[in-house]
Amino acid sequence: MKNAPFLKAISLTLAIAFAFAALLPAAPTTAQDNPLTAGVSDKFAGTELRLIFANHPWNNTIQRLIPAFEQASGMSLRIESYFEDQLSQKLQVGLTSGTSTADAFMFRPLQEGRLFAKNGWLFDVKEFAAADADWNWNDFQEAARGTVTFEDMIFGVPIVTERQVLYYRKDLFAAKGLSAPTTLEELEAAAAALNDPANGIAGIVMRGQRAAAVTQFSSFLYSFGGDWVKDGVSALDSPEARAAYEYYGRLLREYGPQGTTNMSWPQAVAILQQGKAAMWIDADSLFLNATDPTRSSVAAEIGFAPFPAGPAGSQPYNITSWALGINELSENHEAAWEFVKWATSAPVVAELQKSGNPGPRISVWESADGLAGFPEEYAEVAKLQSTRGVGYDRPRVIGVGRARDIVGAPIVTAIEGGNLEAALKEAHDQFNAFLKEDN
Amino acid sequence: MNFLNRHIRATFVAPALVFVIAMMIVPIIYTTYLSFHAWNGSARRAPEYLGLDNYTRLLTRDPRFGDAVARTFIFTGIAVGAELTLGLGIALLINGKFMGHNIVKTLILLPMVATPVAIGMAWLLLYEPNIGALNALLRGLGLPPQDFLGSASLALFWLAVVDIWQWTPLMALILLAGLTALPEEPYEAARVDGASGWQRFMHLTLPLLFPTMIAAVLLRSIDALKTFDIIYTMTRGGPGFATETINTYGYIQSFEYFQLGQASSLLIVFFTLILAVSLFFVRIRRRWGAAL
């Protein structure tokens, strides 16, 4: 065993040599050649960035790409991930107490954006966005840009977009000789025709929980010609709003499964997955829940259709569900921007979208690559819906949580078949009082 | 050292005192302070003084609060009432030695040690009206399926059932301890006088056990009034607001609406209510002259 140190040295040398050899083929693709990291500056080499992300498919994909960014920029990234409710609460508690050490984080611009911006927690990236012409802020969809703009400040950069879509069971529709509904009248007729409680199959399933239902109800409201707010006051007393609430409630009451008033999307999609509903209307970003055979017993039978047209046309929401924000309290604004800019650059967004994360860039939606990540049938619907729709799926206010509870309460009353007139009147008054305080 | 030795009493009490001040008194004072202000956590805007406005709003202009208070007491009444009755029954059944009594006593404790959120998730699956186990059972028996948590009028009751399932063992355990501690002599005397089993239960066991029952009900009531986990995981206070209790409303006010001042005033009122309930039970126990 006298030779042991010598053998060790030899094997170590060999190992190092092999390691280098393994690097050789990779060597020609330096940071600047890799199309994903072209343009990344190494100005901030050595900086450690702390990021807080949501447990979201976007996060899973970006983590795969991040080593290339670290290599090109010389920065190191430390990432923490949380479920979305915990993320929101962690950020709020950390930012309120001024103890948050995150440099940048994911947040939901429609849920927390205005509150965060108003409280001075988000760094205004307007100047950065204007300075980087190559990065091209104008390539972002107009609605997405509008979502992160508040009082002349750009408080984040959109990363994930979302639209409402109709999922339907092709086999059940074919058995009755029906085709996918294109209007809300046809939708109700189809729900009535396919509703078969004796065999445990509901015509349609959607969310019915007070606050959770608000976003999915919004497309119905807009397609009936209604809105949450008009001219700064509640528009819940309009006949259009009333018709929309009435319609949504009737659909679930007459043709929905039991107990919808306690359903958010996980409960609703479970009904679809078990083959107990003919249709489901919800966000397109959830499509894997319906089409993944490991989760859904009817994966092969799922078809997609655009949101049906109401009296005011088809007006589904088309929103930015997630954005990246820079912490105002961070000392690394510029380094954080370098990361945000890279994560939202056209090649990275294209890569993300190829992995099934619908993004905010017009150029990506228009390229063939941009649609490659979606099921074939859905790609067409998604492309059609990416260009239209309303840029918000809940009231655009600061206290979103409270507003959702107010405007969501009549949805529950409508589903229960209670006194909708009185519920809407009460919600209308409360919403007006809320709007006066919401500043 | 001399200083410590001279103040030996204060020295031994100090750690507990520091703990109580830091973890209980300070938060209560801060909550009281916030309850007179409007604040949403903003770094730019300091809390704005409102005087008693948060309180008058809560008590006179907020229908959700009054409803939540009523529901909190209804929930507690149903849950603790049923737990007391069932707990007493179980305690009488397993009092005394029989084959495997240790195993039985261990088994009935199981619901108590499970995590409330996990219990909420499990019961959510059982209660699921379309694909859940309970409705499958009802259908199998030829009974009409229920909406369970989707029913505005009954959801609170179904939540209480979960609480009953989880906490009856605790009630049984306390009452069992009380039963074992009862003196033998009065029973022997009663037997000699020819009292029936029912008479012995009504005129001996119940009165003798009463102080224990009050203690058990006090413990459970304070806990039940504060129930949060199962309600929040199972219904989030819905359908509509049909299962919203004071505690869930307070949580929503602070962590979903970020109205920290309004939430603080609510918590102060809630704190007072719980204090009142505790004092009420303490008085009853004192009147019955038993120390526990």
Side-chain angles (χ1 to χ4, degrees):
Chain A
M1 295 308 285
K2 225 170 146 190
N3 283 338
F6 175 68
L7 279 177
K8 238 187 213 168
I10 286 200
S11 44
L12 192 68
T13 320
L14 279 177
I16 291 172
F18 275 122
F20 272 107
L23 278 180
L24 278 178
T29 35
T30 59
Q32 289 306 315
D33 291 341
N34 183 344
L36 283 183
T37 51
V40 170
S41 148
D42 57 2
K43 250 194 320 201
F44 306 100
T47 309
E48 187 191 77
L49 278 187
R50 290 181 43 114
L51 308 168
I52 302 188
F53 288 169
N55 286 335
H56 185 280
W58 183 90
N59 178 0
N60 303 338
T61 317
I62 201 88
Q63 297 238 20
R64 191 156 54 70
L65 309 176
I66 273 175
F69 172 78
E70 288 183 312
Q71 199 198 353
S73 67
M75 289 194 255
S76 58
L77 268 46
R78 270 181 58 191
I79 299 169
E80 291 171 44
S81 308
Y82 297 92
F83 282 103
E84 61 186 51
D85 286 344
Q86 280 100 314
L87 171 78
S88 175
Q89 278 158 26
K90 174 167 175 74
L91 287 175
Q92 297 197 26
V93 172
L95 293 166
T96 303
S97 56
T99 53
S100 178
T101 50
D103 295 298
F105 44 78
M106 278 173 80
F107 69 100
R108 294 171 292 180
L110 288 164
Q111 186 73 20
E112 301 113 359
R114 290 187 177 202
L115 175 74
F116 283 21
K118 192 92 191 167
N119 284 350
W121 296 338
L122 288 166
F123 176 72
D124 185 354
V125 298
K126 195 168 64 182
E127 281 173 28
F128 286 158
D132 273 302
D134 286 350
W135 175 70
N136 197 1
W137 182 226
N138 289 324
D139 186 31
F140 286 76
Q141 292 165 357
E142 196 181 338
R145 274 181 284 142
T147 305
V148 293
T149 310
F150 178 56
E151 290 178 356
D152 202 32
M153 138 182 204
I154 300 178
F155 56 73
V157 179
I159 50 176
V160 182
T161 60
E162 201 170 282
R163 289 139 298 272
Q164 196 166 25
V165 69
L166 166 66
Y167 300 80
Y168 69 97
R169 285 275 301 278
K170 288 185 286 188
D171 53 338
L172 297 180
F173 270 70
K176 293 261 179 194
L178 293 166
S179 54
T182 56
T183 66
L184 290 179
E185 276 167 18
E186 290 175 22
L187 177 73
E188 186 169 0
L194 294 164
N195 190 36
D196 185 5
N199 289 312
I201 294 181
I204 187 164
V205 63
M206 298 186 288
R207 305 184 194 180
Q209 241 181 20
R210 185 181 76 226
V214 167
T215 52
Q216 307 314 311
F217 166 71
S218 70
S219 303
F220 290 85
L221 181 66
Y222 310 147
S223 299
F224 268 93
D227 203 341
W228 310 111
V229 176
K230 268 195 186 115
D231 305 319
V233 293
S234 160
L236 296 182
D237 63 342
S238 69
E240 292 85 5
R242 201 209 137 108
Y245 276 100
E246 168 64 37
Y247 177 88
Y248 193 89
R250 191 174 63 236
L251 218 51
L252 284 179
R253 187 174 64 245
E254 305 280 339
Y255 319 115
Q258 276 194 289
T260 45
T261 49
N262 198 32
M263 286 187 188
S264 179
W265 74 264
Q267 293 83 14
V269 76
I271 307 282
L272 184 81
Q273 287 168 341
Q274 300 283 327
K276 304 271 187 190
M279 293 185 276
W280 175 47
I281 299 186
D282 213 299
D284 60 0
S285 55
L286 300 171
F287 74 84
L288 277 178
N289 291 286
T291 59
D292 176 356
T294 63
R295 287 183 250 184
S296 167
S297 66
V298 291
E301 306 297 344
I302 299 294
F304 295 87
F307 189 82
S314 172
Q315 300 285 346
Y317 66 74
N318 177 9
I319 58 145
T320 300
S321 47
W322 288 96
L324 275 179
I326 297 178
N327 186 353
E328 175 78 43
L329 297 170
S330 157
E331 286 165 4
N332 300 316
H333 289 160
E334 291 190 349
W337 171 252
E338 193 65 30
F339 167 73
V340 171
K341 192 176 73 170
W342 167 77
T344 56
S345 63
V348 174
V349 171
E351 192 65 30
L352 285 159
Q353 193 151 323
K354 240 195 289 184
S355 309
N357 297 285
R361 279 190 179 267
I362 300 166
S363 61
V364 174
W365 278 107
E366 283 173 352
S367 70
D369 259 7
L371 298 177
F374 305 119
E376 204 175 310
E377 288 186 38
Y378 172 58
E380 279 314 301
V381 176
K383 192 172 179 192
L384 174 72
Q385 296 217 128
S386 74
T387 55
R388 67 177 186 197
V390 180
Y392 51 95
D393 60 354
R394 61 202 87 181
R396 280 172 302 174
V397 293
I398 296 166
V400 176
R402 211 174 135 208
R404 280 178 84 152
D405 274 349
I406 295 173
V407 303
I411 300 178
V412 178
T413 312
I415 297 172
E416 286 169 346
N419 188 344
L420 181 61
E421 189 92 43
L424 272 176
K425 172 91 183 64
E426 194 186 332
H428 176 69
D429 292 343
Q430 282 181 11
F431 196 38
N432 268 333
F434 162 83
L435 288 170
K436 257 183 225 148
E437 284 175 22
D438 186 55
N439 56 38
Chain B
M1 279 313 279
N2 267 338
F3 178 81
L4 292 184
N5 281 333
R6 266 185 282 124
H7 300 88
I8 194 92
R9 250 194 243 167
T11 311
F12 277 106
V13 177
L17 198 68
V18 168
F19 180 83
V20 168
I21 289 177
M23 306 308 284
M24 296 168 84
I25 312 272
V26 170
I28 290 175
I29 291 175
Y30 187 60
T31 308
T32 315
Y33 161 82
L34 274 186
S35 73
F36 296 111
H37 293 76
W39 192 47
N40 67 358
S42 171
R44 285 187 187 162
R45 277 194 297 175
E48 181 191 338
Y49 182 70
L50 290 179
L52 285 173
D53 204 42
N54 281 335
Y55 288 94
T56 53
R57 178 196 194 118
L58 208 57
L59 299 174
T60 60
R61 277 172 291 153
D62 187 352
R64 269 174 82 179
F65 178 71
D67 291 351
V69 172
R71 270 183 224 115
T72 307
F73 282 96
I74 294 172
F75 175 85
T76 307
I78 297 175
V80 178
E83 283 157 18
L84 180 67
T85 319
L86 292 172
L88 187 62
I90 293 174
L92 290 169
L93 260 181
I94 63 176
N95 186 22
K97 287 212 188 310
F98 55 92
M99 258 257 286
H101 72 275
N102 276 330
I103 296 177
V104 170
K105 282 177 196 169
T106 313
L107 282 180
I108 64 156
L109 288 184
L110 285 181
M112 239 171 73
V113 294
T115 328
V117 173
I119 289 175
M121 298 315 244
W123 277 88
L124 208 48
L125 289 177
L126 291 175
Y127 277 156
E128 212 300 321
N130 307 282
I131 49 183
L134 280 177
N135 263 350
L137 186 72
L138 288 178
R139 282 193 203 98
L141 294 172
L143 296 167
Q146 295 294 312
D147 268 353
F148 293 112
L149 303 174
S151 151
S153 49
L154 286 175
L156 194 66
F157 169 75
W158 295 117
L159 286 175
V161 168
V162 180
D163 192 83
I164 294 167
W165 174 82
Q166 189 181 13
W167 291 111
T168 298
L170 176 76
M171 201 62 109
L173 200 68
I174 300 177
L175 296 178
L176 188 62
L179 278 179
T180 3
L182 292 188
E184 273 297 316
E185 296 83 359
Y187 286 91
E188 282 166 16
R191 239 176 253 125
V192 171
D193 289 346
S196 68
W198 176 248
Q199 283 169 325
R200 270 176 287 157
F201 173 71
M202 287 306 287
H203 299 290
L204 283 176
T205 312
L206 271 190
L208 286 172
L209 204 55
F210 193 76
T212 319
M213 283 161 64
I214 291 291
V217 167
L218 170 68
L219 275 177
R220 266 313 295 146
S221 298
I222 292 178
D223 245 19
L225 287 170
K226 294 193 296 185
T227 304
F228 173 78
D229 342 46
I230 59 167
I231 300 178
Y232 194 73
T233 43
M234 294 177 73
T235 66
R236 298 208 155 203
F241 301 104
T243 56
E244 187 168 76
T245 58
I246 313 180
N247 220 3
T248 50
Y249 188 34
Y251 177 86
I252 287 176
Q253 285 260 0
S254 34
F255 296 109
E256 283 179 17
Y257 300 175
F258 255 67
Q259 297 184 311
L260 301 177
Q262 183 73 75
S264 299
S265 65
L266 182 146
L267 291 174
I268 293 290
V269 173
F270 188 31
F271 177 69
T272 320
L273 275 176
I274 292 207
L275 208 61
V277 170
S278 316
L279 288 177
F280 171 73
F281 279 110
V282 169
R283 282 201 88 125
I284 290 192
R285 234 182 54 196
R286 227 179 258 157
R287 243 187 80 185
W288 283 70
L292 219 144

